mmCIF file of all heavy atoms in Angstrom:
data_model
loop_
_atom_site.group_PDB
_atom_site.id
_atom_site.type_symbol
_atom_site.label_atom_id
_atom_site.label_comp_id
_atom_site.label_asym_id
_atom_site.label_seq_id
_atom_site.Cartn_x
_atom_site.Cartn_y
_atom_site.Cartn_z
ATOM 1 N N VAL Z 8 -6.749 16.677 7.632
ATOM 2 C CA VAL Z 8 -7.529 17.885 7.831
ATOM 3 C C VAL Z 8 -8.269 17.707 9.229
ATOM 4 O O VAL Z 8 -9.008 16.834 9.491
ATOM 5 C CB VAL Z 8 -8.746 18.107 6.780
ATOM 6 C CG1 VAL Z 8 -9.677 19.227 7.247
ATOM 7 C CG2 VAL Z 8 -8.166 18.214 5.385
ATOM 8 N N HIS Z 72 -17.728 23.047 14.632
ATOM 9 C CA HIS Z 72 -16.845 21.912 14.267
ATOM 10 C C HIS Z 72 -17.187 21.441 12.718
ATOM 11 O O HIS Z 72 -16.158 21.248 11.908
ATOM 12 C CB HIS Z 72 -17.231 20.784 15.156
ATOM 13 C CG HIS Z 72 -16.251 19.620 15.136
ATOM 14 N ND1 HIS Z 72 -16.477 18.433 14.386
ATOM 15 C CD2 HIS Z 72 -14.981 19.409 15.675
ATOM 16 C CE1 HIS Z 72 -15.436 17.685 14.390
ATOM 17 N NE2 HIS Z 72 -14.596 18.158 15.298
ATOM 18 N N GLN Z 73 -18.367 21.275 12.401
ATOM 19 C CA GLN Z 73 -18.718 20.771 11.119
ATOM 20 C C GLN Z 73 -18.353 21.750 9.931
ATOM 21 O O GLN Z 73 -17.923 21.352 8.876
ATOM 22 C CB GLN Z 73 -20.239 20.382 10.987
ATOM 23 C CG GLN Z 73 -20.799 19.403 11.944
ATOM 24 C CD GLN Z 73 -20.078 18.000 11.747
ATOM 25 O OE1 GLN Z 73 -20.146 17.423 10.740
ATOM 26 N NE2 GLN Z 73 -19.271 17.578 12.740
ATOM 27 N N ARG Z 74 -18.621 22.979 10.142
ATOM 28 C CA ARG Z 74 -18.232 24.037 9.163
ATOM 29 C C ARG Z 74 -16.833 24.151 9.051
ATOM 30 O O ARG Z 74 -16.293 24.379 7.829
ATOM 31 C CB ARG Z 74 -19.001 25.319 9.472
ATOM 32 C CG ARG Z 74 -20.536 25.195 9.501
ATOM 33 C CD ARG Z 74 -21.193 26.414 9.788
ATOM 34 N NE ARG Z 74 -22.672 26.265 9.734
ATOM 35 C CZ ARG Z 74 -23.519 27.235 9.883
ATOM 36 N NH1 ARG Z 74 -23.206 28.482 10.267
ATOM 37 N NH2 ARG Z 74 -24.870 27.057 9.745
ATOM 38 N N ALA Z 75 -16.131 23.989 10.130
ATOM 39 C CA ALA Z 75 -14.693 24.022 10.018
ATOM 40 C C ALA Z 75 -14.175 22.976 9.177
ATOM 41 O O ALA Z 75 -13.141 23.110 8.451
ATOM 42 C CB ALA Z 75 -14.052 24.045 11.428
ATOM 43 N N ILE Z 76 -14.691 21.763 9.253
ATOM 44 C CA ILE Z 76 -14.175 20.675 8.444
ATOM 45 C C ILE Z 76 -14.549 21.021 6.859
ATOM 46 O O ILE Z 76 -13.654 20.720 6.062
ATOM 47 C CB ILE Z 76 -15.055 19.364 8.844
ATOM 48 C CG1 ILE Z 76 -14.616 18.802 10.172
ATOM 49 C CG2 ILE Z 76 -14.870 18.275 7.736
ATOM 50 C CD1 ILE Z 76 -15.319 17.630 10.588
ATOM 51 N N SER Z 77 -15.714 21.481 6.684
ATOM 52 C CA SER Z 77 -16.048 21.850 5.296
ATOM 53 C C SER Z 77 -15.013 22.947 4.693
ATOM 54 O O SER Z 77 -14.625 22.782 3.461
ATOM 55 C CB SER Z 77 -17.409 22.342 5.086
ATOM 56 O OG SER Z 77 -17.630 23.640 5.662
ATOM 57 N N LEU Z 80 -11.548 21.133 4.143
ATOM 58 C CA LEU Z 80 -11.648 20.154 2.977
ATOM 59 C C LEU Z 80 -11.499 21.041 1.654
ATOM 60 O O LEU Z 80 -10.841 20.700 0.696
ATOM 61 C CB LEU Z 80 -12.870 19.316 3.044
ATOM 62 C CG LEU Z 80 -12.779 18.118 3.891
ATOM 63 C CD1 LEU Z 80 -14.117 17.413 4.020
ATOM 64 C CD2 LEU Z 80 -11.668 17.218 3.621
ATOM 65 N N PHE Z 93 -7.456 12.284 1.477
ATOM 66 C CA PHE Z 93 -7.454 13.249 2.537
ATOM 67 C C PHE Z 93 -8.232 12.673 3.743
ATOM 68 O O PHE Z 93 -9.325 12.076 3.506
ATOM 69 C CB PHE Z 93 -8.323 14.417 2.072
ATOM 70 C CG PHE Z 93 -7.629 15.129 0.850
ATOM 71 C CD1 PHE Z 93 -7.803 14.573 -0.457
ATOM 72 C CD2 PHE Z 93 -6.905 16.323 1.085
ATOM 73 C CE1 PHE Z 93 -7.179 15.203 -1.506
ATOM 74 C CE2 PHE Z 93 -6.237 16.873 0.055
ATOM 75 C CZ PHE Z 93 -6.330 16.352 -1.263
ATOM 76 N N VAL Z 94 -7.599 12.635 4.910
ATOM 77 C CA VAL Z 94 -8.116 12.112 6.138
ATOM 78 C C VAL Z 94 -8.629 13.171 7.053
ATOM 79 O O VAL Z 94 -7.965 14.106 7.392
ATOM 80 C CB VAL Z 94 -6.978 11.270 6.840
ATOM 81 C CG1 VAL Z 94 -7.487 10.762 8.191
ATOM 82 C CG2 VAL Z 94 -6.519 10.112 5.926
ATOM 83 N N VAL Z 95 -9.853 13.050 7.391
ATOM 84 C CA VAL Z 95 -10.584 14.022 8.385
ATOM 85 C C VAL Z 95 -10.519 13.286 9.706
ATOM 86 O O VAL Z 95 -11.011 12.199 9.850
ATOM 87 C CB VAL Z 95 -12.007 14.210 7.835
ATOM 88 C CG1 VAL Z 95 -12.689 15.158 8.887
ATOM 89 C CG2 VAL Z 95 -12.086 14.865 6.513
ATOM 90 N N MET Z 96 -10.074 14.060 10.727
ATOM 91 C CA MET Z 96 -9.908 13.378 12.014
ATOM 92 C C MET Z 96 -9.983 14.690 13.073
ATOM 93 O O MET Z 96 -9.459 15.745 12.735
ATOM 94 C CB MET Z 96 -8.777 12.566 12.253
ATOM 95 C CG MET Z 96 -7.449 13.160 11.966
ATOM 96 S SD MET Z 96 -6.002 12.007 12.059
ATOM 97 C CE MET Z 96 -6.291 11.146 13.531
ATOM 98 N N ILE Z 122 -15.519 6.616 -0.219
ATOM 99 C CA ILE Z 122 -15.113 7.245 0.986
ATOM 100 C C ILE Z 122 -15.236 6.225 2.113
ATOM 101 O O ILE Z 122 -16.232 5.371 2.076
ATOM 102 C CB ILE Z 122 -15.961 8.441 1.305
ATOM 103 C CG1 ILE Z 122 -15.811 9.539 0.247
ATOM 104 C CG2 ILE Z 122 -15.638 9.001 2.722
ATOM 105 C CD1 ILE Z 122 -16.817 10.624 0.335
ATOM 106 N N VAL Z 123 -14.291 6.187 3.028
ATOM 107 C CA VAL Z 123 -14.399 5.136 4.115
ATOM 108 C C VAL Z 123 -14.372 5.900 5.432
ATOM 109 O O VAL Z 123 -13.627 6.721 5.652
ATOM 110 C CB VAL Z 123 -13.094 4.267 4.050
ATOM 111 C CG1 VAL Z 123 -13.158 3.202 5.319
ATOM 112 C CG2 VAL Z 123 -13.141 3.463 2.699
ATOM 113 N N PHE Z 124 -15.445 5.531 6.181
ATOM 114 C CA PHE Z 124 -15.533 6.193 7.565
ATOM 115 C C PHE Z 124 -15.183 5.077 8.563
ATOM 116 O O PHE Z 124 -15.243 3.927 8.362
ATOM 117 C CB PHE Z 124 -17.047 6.514 7.837
ATOM 118 C CG PHE Z 124 -17.518 7.616 7.110
ATOM 119 C CD1 PHE Z 124 -18.076 7.585 5.721
ATOM 120 C CD2 PHE Z 124 -17.447 8.960 7.672
ATOM 121 C CE1 PHE Z 124 -18.653 8.586 5.133
ATOM 122 C CE2 PHE Z 124 -17.923 10.068 6.945
ATOM 123 C CZ PHE Z 124 -18.506 9.891 5.671
ATOM 124 N N ALA Z 125 -14.727 5.659 9.729
ATOM 125 C CA ALA Z 125 -14.430 4.767 10.885
ATOM 126 C C ALA Z 125 -15.635 4.527 11.730
ATOM 127 O O ALA Z 125 -16.219 5.512 12.203
ATOM 128 C CB ALA Z 125 -13.334 5.465 11.775
ATOM 129 N N LEU Z 155 -27.005 6.266 10.968
ATOM 130 C CA LEU Z 155 -25.813 7.003 11.070
ATOM 131 C C LEU Z 155 -25.008 6.331 12.097
ATOM 132 O O LEU Z 155 -25.219 6.522 13.352
ATOM 133 C CB LEU Z 155 -26.050 8.405 11.472
ATOM 134 C CG LEU Z 155 -25.018 9.434 11.456
ATOM 135 C CD1 LEU Z 155 -24.301 9.502 10.128
ATOM 136 C CD2 LEU Z 155 -25.380 10.805 11.962
ATOM 137 N N PHE Z 157 -21.410 6.436 12.187
ATOM 138 C CA PHE Z 157 -20.079 6.853 12.271
ATOM 139 C C PHE Z 157 -20.069 8.309 12.323
ATOM 140 O O PHE Z 157 -21.008 9.033 12.190
ATOM 141 C CB PHE Z 157 -19.244 6.483 10.878
ATOM 142 C CG PHE Z 157 -20.004 6.503 9.702
ATOM 143 C CD1 PHE Z 157 -20.408 7.666 9.136
ATOM 144 C CD2 PHE Z 157 -20.587 5.317 9.114
ATOM 145 C CE1 PHE Z 157 -21.205 7.718 7.939
ATOM 146 C CE2 PHE Z 157 -21.321 5.351 7.944
ATOM 147 C CZ PHE Z 157 -21.594 6.546 7.388
ATOM 148 N N GLY Z 158 -18.883 8.938 12.655
ATOM 149 C CA GLY Z 158 -18.758 10.378 12.887
ATOM 150 C C GLY Z 158 -17.897 10.968 11.737
ATOM 151 O O GLY Z 158 -18.092 10.610 10.586
ATOM 152 N N ASN Z 159 -16.917 11.811 12.073
ATOM 153 C CA ASN Z 159 -16.148 12.549 11.185
ATOM 154 C C ASN Z 159 -14.922 11.765 10.663
ATOM 155 O O ASN Z 159 -14.346 12.060 9.490
ATOM 156 C CB ASN Z 159 -15.622 13.836 11.729
ATOM 157 C CG ASN Z 159 -16.857 14.642 12.102
ATOM 158 O OD1 ASN Z 159 -17.909 14.824 11.423
ATOM 159 N ND2 ASN Z 159 -16.798 15.241 13.432
ATOM 160 N N PHE Z 160 -14.305 10.864 11.508
ATOM 161 C CA PHE Z 160 -13.095 10.097 11.116
ATOM 162 C C PHE Z 160 -13.314 9.363 9.817
ATOM 163 O O PHE Z 160 -14.006 8.398 9.847
ATOM 164 C CB PHE Z 160 -12.621 9.304 12.294
ATOM 165 C CG PHE Z 160 -11.177 8.863 12.241
ATOM 166 C CD1 PHE Z 160 -10.361 9.340 11.374
ATOM 167 C CD2 PHE Z 160 -10.932 7.698 13.068
ATOM 168 C CE1 PHE Z 160 -9.033 8.768 11.319
ATOM 169 C CE2 PHE Z 160 -9.595 7.183 12.912
ATOM 170 C CZ PHE Z 160 -8.690 7.735 12.136
ATOM 171 N N SER Z 161 -12.466 9.777 8.852
ATOM 172 C CA SER Z 161 -12.762 9.155 7.487
ATOM 173 C C SER Z 161 -11.592 9.502 6.638
ATOM 174 O O SER Z 161 -10.689 10.339 6.903
ATOM 175 C CB SER Z 161 -14.063 9.693 6.883
ATOM 176 O OG SER Z 161 -13.948 11.058 6.782
ATOM 177 N N ALA Z 162 -11.587 8.863 5.397
ATOM 178 C CA ALA Z 162 -10.594 9.080 4.438
ATOM 179 C C ALA Z 162 -11.373 9.216 3.018
ATOM 180 O O ALA Z 162 -12.287 8.507 2.741
ATOM 181 C CB ALA Z 162 -9.548 8.043 4.304
ATOM 182 N N ILE Z 163 -10.965 10.367 2.293
ATOM 183 C CA ILE Z 163 -11.614 10.677 1.023
ATOM 184 C C ILE Z 163 -10.550 10.491 -0.054
ATOM 185 O O ILE Z 163 -9.464 11.316 -0.008
ATOM 186 C CB ILE Z 163 -12.259 12.036 0.946
ATOM 187 C CG1 ILE Z 163 -13.128 12.291 2.177
ATOM 188 C CG2 ILE Z 163 -12.892 12.368 -0.303
ATOM 189 C CD1 ILE Z 163 -13.559 13.766 2.389
ATOM 190 N N PRO Z 164 -10.707 9.707 -1.054
ATOM 191 C CA PRO Z 164 -9.843 9.606 -2.175
ATOM 192 C C PRO Z 164 -9.816 10.900 -3.027
ATOM 193 O O PRO Z 164 -10.786 11.649 -3.032
ATOM 194 C CB PRO Z 164 -10.414 8.385 -3.074
ATOM 195 C CG PRO Z 164 -11.286 7.610 -2.264
ATOM 196 C CD PRO Z 164 -11.802 8.623 -1.152
ATOM 197 N N LEU Z 168 -12.936 14.041 -3.756
ATOM 198 C CA LEU Z 168 -12.943 15.259 -2.906
ATOM 199 C C LEU Z 168 -13.631 16.472 -3.414
ATOM 200 O O LEU Z 168 -14.478 17.159 -2.802
ATOM 201 C CB LEU Z 168 -11.435 15.777 -2.534
ATOM 202 C CG LEU Z 168 -11.415 16.924 -1.469
ATOM 203 C CD1 LEU Z 168 -12.198 16.529 -0.270
ATOM 204 C CD2 LEU Z 168 -10.008 17.325 -1.262
ATOM 205 N N VAL Z 171 -17.264 16.060 -2.886
ATOM 206 C CA VAL Z 171 -17.553 16.283 -1.566
ATOM 207 C C VAL Z 171 -17.765 17.782 -1.216
ATOM 208 O O VAL Z 171 -18.796 18.210 -0.651
ATOM 209 C CB VAL Z 171 -16.560 15.590 -0.568
ATOM 210 C CG1 VAL Z 171 -16.822 16.088 0.903
ATOM 211 C CG2 VAL Z 171 -16.576 14.045 -0.671
ATOM 212 N N THR Z 172 -16.748 18.556 -1.702
ATOM 213 C CA THR Z 172 -16.822 19.945 -1.403
ATOM 214 C C THR Z 172 -17.787 20.767 -2.188
ATOM 215 O O THR Z 172 -18.089 21.957 -1.976
ATOM 216 C CB THR Z 172 -15.442 20.574 -1.633
ATOM 217 O OG1 THR Z 172 -14.976 20.377 -2.925
ATOM 218 C CG2 THR Z 172 -14.430 20.105 -0.625
ATOM 219 N N ILE Z 174 -21.053 19.497 -2.206
ATOM 220 C CA ILE Z 174 -22.330 19.294 -1.489
ATOM 221 C C ILE Z 174 -22.722 20.496 -0.594
ATOM 222 O O ILE Z 174 -22.052 20.845 0.345
ATOM 223 C CB ILE Z 174 -22.171 18.150 -0.626
ATOM 224 C CG1 ILE Z 174 -21.629 16.921 -1.368
ATOM 225 C CG2 ILE Z 174 -23.553 17.697 -0.003
ATOM 226 C CD1 ILE Z 174 -21.412 15.722 -0.523
ATOM 227 N N GLU Z 176 -25.025 20.808 1.678
ATOM 228 C CA GLU Z 176 -25.302 20.365 3.063
ATOM 229 C C GLU Z 176 -24.072 20.057 3.853
ATOM 230 O O GLU Z 176 -24.169 19.841 5.062
ATOM 231 C CB GLU Z 176 -26.232 19.122 3.040
ATOM 232 C CG GLU Z 176 -27.621 19.230 2.456
ATOM 233 C CD GLU Z 176 -27.681 19.170 0.982
ATOM 234 O OE1 GLU Z 176 -26.603 19.059 0.259
ATOM 235 O OE2 GLU Z 176 -28.766 19.414 0.385
ATOM 236 N N LEU Z 177 -22.901 19.968 3.202
ATOM 237 C CA LEU Z 177 -21.703 19.750 3.892
ATOM 238 C C LEU Z 177 -21.357 20.791 4.936
ATOM 239 O O LEU Z 177 -20.863 20.599 6.056
ATOM 240 C CB LEU Z 177 -20.497 19.656 2.986
ATOM 241 C CG LEU Z 177 -19.159 19.213 3.455
ATOM 242 C CD1 LEU Z 177 -19.162 17.779 3.701
ATOM 243 C CD2 LEU Z 177 -18.023 19.611 2.499
ATOM 244 N N TRP Z 178 -21.917 21.931 4.654
ATOM 245 C CA TRP Z 178 -21.860 23.080 5.670
ATOM 246 C C TRP Z 178 -22.466 22.815 6.990
ATOM 247 O O TRP Z 178 -22.011 23.367 7.955
ATOM 248 C CB TRP Z 178 -22.419 24.372 5.020
ATOM 249 C CG TRP Z 178 -22.213 25.657 5.706
ATOM 250 C CD1 TRP Z 178 -23.072 26.504 6.292
ATOM 251 C CD2 TRP Z 178 -20.871 26.312 5.799
ATOM 252 N NE1 TRP Z 178 -22.508 27.564 6.817
ATOM 253 C CE2 TRP Z 178 -21.143 27.563 6.627
ATOM 254 C CE3 TRP Z 178 -19.607 26.014 5.440
ATOM 255 C CZ2 TRP Z 178 -20.213 28.386 7.010
ATOM 256 C CZ3 TRP Z 178 -18.586 26.908 5.786
ATOM 257 C CH2 TRP Z 178 -18.893 28.100 6.580
ATOM 258 N N ASN Z 179 -23.441 22.001 7.069
ATOM 259 C CA ASN Z 179 -24.185 21.768 8.245
ATOM 260 C C ASN Z 179 -23.755 20.452 8.946
ATOM 261 O O ASN Z 179 -23.604 20.338 10.228
ATOM 262 C CB ASN Z 179 -25.714 21.570 7.951
ATOM 263 C CG ASN Z 179 -26.442 22.820 7.818
ATOM 264 O OD1 ASN Z 179 -25.784 23.900 8.192
ATOM 265 N ND2 ASN Z 179 -27.599 22.852 7.131
ATOM 266 N N HIS Z 180 -23.543 19.311 8.111
ATOM 267 C CA HIS Z 180 -23.075 18.105 8.759
ATOM 268 C C HIS Z 180 -22.318 17.250 7.829
ATOM 269 O O HIS Z 180 -22.770 16.818 6.728
ATOM 270 C CB HIS Z 180 -24.394 17.394 9.216
ATOM 271 C CG HIS Z 180 -24.151 16.202 10.278
ATOM 272 N ND1 HIS Z 180 -23.865 14.966 9.764
ATOM 273 C CD2 HIS Z 180 -24.102 16.153 11.659
ATOM 274 C CE1 HIS Z 180 -23.606 14.185 10.925
ATOM 275 N NE2 HIS Z 180 -23.754 14.893 11.880
ATOM 276 N N TYR Z 181 -21.107 16.951 8.171
ATOM 277 C CA TYR Z 181 -20.113 16.337 7.180
ATOM 278 C C TYR Z 181 -20.628 14.884 6.745
ATOM 279 O O TYR Z 181 -20.985 14.618 5.565
ATOM 280 C CB TYR Z 181 -18.754 16.211 7.839
ATOM 281 C CG TYR Z 181 -17.793 15.351 7.147
ATOM 282 C CD1 TYR Z 181 -17.411 15.630 5.848
ATOM 283 C CD2 TYR Z 181 -17.296 14.252 7.712
ATOM 284 C CE1 TYR Z 181 -16.421 14.845 5.186
ATOM 285 C CE2 TYR Z 181 -16.294 13.506 7.137
ATOM 286 C CZ TYR Z 181 -15.867 13.650 5.857
ATOM 287 O OH TYR Z 181 -14.998 12.918 5.234
ATOM 288 N N SER Z 182 -20.713 13.858 7.765
ATOM 289 C CA SER Z 182 -21.093 12.532 7.411
ATOM 290 C C SER Z 182 -22.468 12.490 6.935
ATOM 291 O O SER Z 182 -22.768 11.705 5.878
ATOM 292 C CB SER Z 182 -20.931 11.686 8.616
ATOM 293 O OG SER Z 182 -21.644 12.084 9.697
ATOM 294 N N GLY Z 183 -23.453 13.067 7.426
ATOM 295 C CA GLY Z 183 -24.765 13.172 6.942
ATOM 296 C C GLY Z 183 -25.024 13.663 5.620
ATOM 297 O O GLY Z 183 -25.763 13.105 4.728
ATOM 298 N N ALA Z 184 -24.217 14.660 5.147
ATOM 299 C CA ALA Z 184 -24.174 15.224 3.915
ATOM 300 C C ALA Z 184 -23.724 14.257 2.851
ATOM 301 O O ALA Z 184 -24.313 14.094 1.762
ATOM 302 C CB ALA Z 184 -23.445 16.523 3.801
ATOM 303 N N ILE Z 185 -22.636 13.499 3.222
ATOM 304 C CA ILE Z 185 -22.113 12.572 2.184
ATOM 305 C C ILE Z 185 -23.089 11.402 1.981
ATOM 306 O O ILE Z 185 -23.238 10.834 0.912
ATOM 307 C CB ILE Z 185 -20.782 12.059 2.749
ATOM 308 C CG1 ILE Z 185 -19.685 13.091 2.599
ATOM 309 C CG2 ILE Z 185 -20.279 10.806 1.979
ATOM 310 C CD1 ILE Z 185 -18.336 12.768 3.217
ATOM 311 N N MET Z 186 -23.747 10.990 3.154
ATOM 312 C CA MET Z 186 -24.760 9.825 3.039
ATOM 313 C C MET Z 186 -25.828 10.232 2.047
ATOM 314 O O MET Z 186 -26.326 9.579 1.173
ATOM 315 C CB MET Z 186 -25.336 9.616 4.393
ATOM 316 C CG MET Z 186 -24.440 8.808 5.377
ATOM 317 S SD MET Z 186 -25.010 8.696 7.077
ATOM 318 C CE MET Z 186 -26.571 7.825 6.677
ATOM 319 N N LYS Z 187 -26.424 11.549 2.227
ATOM 320 C CA LYS Z 187 -27.397 11.922 1.429
ATOM 321 C C LYS Z 187 -27.033 12.219 -0.059
ATOM 322 O O LYS Z 187 -27.878 12.047 -1.028
ATOM 323 C CB LYS Z 187 -28.069 13.279 1.888
ATOM 324 C CG LYS Z 187 -29.349 13.594 1.262
ATOM 325 C CD LYS Z 187 -29.982 14.858 1.747
ATOM 326 C CE LYS Z 187 -31.380 15.151 0.942
ATOM 327 N NZ LYS Z 187 -31.918 16.494 1.497
ATOM 328 N N SER Z 188 -25.742 12.572 -0.362
ATOM 329 C CA SER Z 188 -25.212 12.911 -1.704
ATOM 330 C C SER Z 188 -25.208 11.705 -2.594
ATOM 331 O O SER Z 188 -25.070 11.785 -3.733
ATOM 332 C CB SER Z 188 -23.870 13.466 -1.564
ATOM 333 O OG SER Z 188 -22.937 12.533 -1.206
ATOM 334 N N HIS Z 217 -25.814 19.215 17.368
ATOM 335 C CA HIS Z 217 -25.173 18.471 16.348
ATOM 336 C C HIS Z 217 -26.222 17.451 15.720
ATOM 337 O O HIS Z 217 -26.326 17.177 14.575
ATOM 338 C CB HIS Z 217 -24.063 17.438 17.071
ATOM 339 C CG HIS Z 217 -23.357 16.653 16.013
ATOM 340 N ND1 HIS Z 217 -22.476 17.125 15.028
ATOM 341 C CD2 HIS Z 217 -23.399 15.250 15.842
ATOM 342 C CE1 HIS Z 217 -22.067 16.070 14.386
ATOM 343 N NE2 HIS Z 217 -22.595 14.909 14.789
ATOM 344 N N SER Z 220 -28.526 19.447 13.477
ATOM 345 C CA SER Z 220 -27.859 19.716 12.253
ATOM 346 C C SER Z 220 -27.973 18.501 11.159
ATOM 347 O O SER Z 220 -28.196 18.676 10.135
ATOM 348 C CB SER Z 220 -26.483 20.170 12.485
ATOM 349 O OG SER Z 220 -26.424 21.311 13.103
ATOM 350 N N SER Z 221 -27.750 17.322 11.770
ATOM 351 C CA SER Z 221 -27.705 16.240 10.872
ATOM 352 C C SER Z 221 -29.201 15.933 10.391
ATOM 353 O O SER Z 221 -29.310 15.638 9.201
ATOM 354 C CB SER Z 221 -27.164 14.956 11.593
ATOM 355 O OG SER Z 221 -28.027 14.568 12.781
ATOM 356 N N ILE Z 224 -30.642 18.185 7.389
ATOM 357 C CA ILE Z 224 -30.139 17.808 5.965
ATOM 358 C C ILE Z 224 -31.240 17.045 5.307
ATOM 359 O O ILE Z 224 -31.446 17.157 4.078
ATOM 360 C CB ILE Z 224 -28.813 17.027 6.040
ATOM 361 C CG1 ILE Z 224 -27.657 17.952 6.482
ATOM 362 C CG2 ILE Z 224 -28.555 16.456 4.679
ATOM 363 C CD1 ILE Z 224 -26.380 17.201 6.739
ATOM 364 N N TYR Z 225 -31.962 16.183 6.057
ATOM 365 C CA TYR Z 225 -33.063 15.322 5.473
ATOM 366 C C TYR Z 225 -34.517 16.032 5.653
ATOM 367 O O TYR Z 225 -35.347 15.336 5.899
ATOM 368 C CB TYR Z 225 -32.885 14.004 6.246
ATOM 369 C CG TYR Z 225 -31.743 13.226 5.781
ATOM 370 C CD1 TYR Z 225 -30.530 13.320 6.480
ATOM 371 C CD2 TYR Z 225 -31.727 12.268 4.695
ATOM 372 C CE1 TYR Z 225 -29.413 12.640 6.155
ATOM 373 C CE2 TYR Z 225 -30.656 11.546 4.397
ATOM 374 C CZ TYR Z 225 -29.512 11.687 5.179
ATOM 375 O OH TYR Z 225 -28.425 10.994 4.710
#
Side-chain angles (χ1 to χ4, degrees):
V8 176
H72 192 263
Q73 299 299 301
R74 295 178 178 183
I76 290 175
S77 70
L80 287 174
F93 297 83
V94 175
V95 177
M96 64 188 306
I122 298 170
V123 175
F124 287 91
L155 186 59
F157 39 74
N159 304 315
F160 192 17
S161 57
I163 307 171
L168 183 58
V171 170
T172 56
I174 306 171
E176 292 83 3
L177 191 72
W178 190 246
N179 283 342
H180 196 274
Y181 169 65
S182 54
I185 290 176
M186 288 173 60
K187 189 179 181 184
S188 72
H217 182 72
S220 294
S221 64
I224 293 174
Y225 290 87

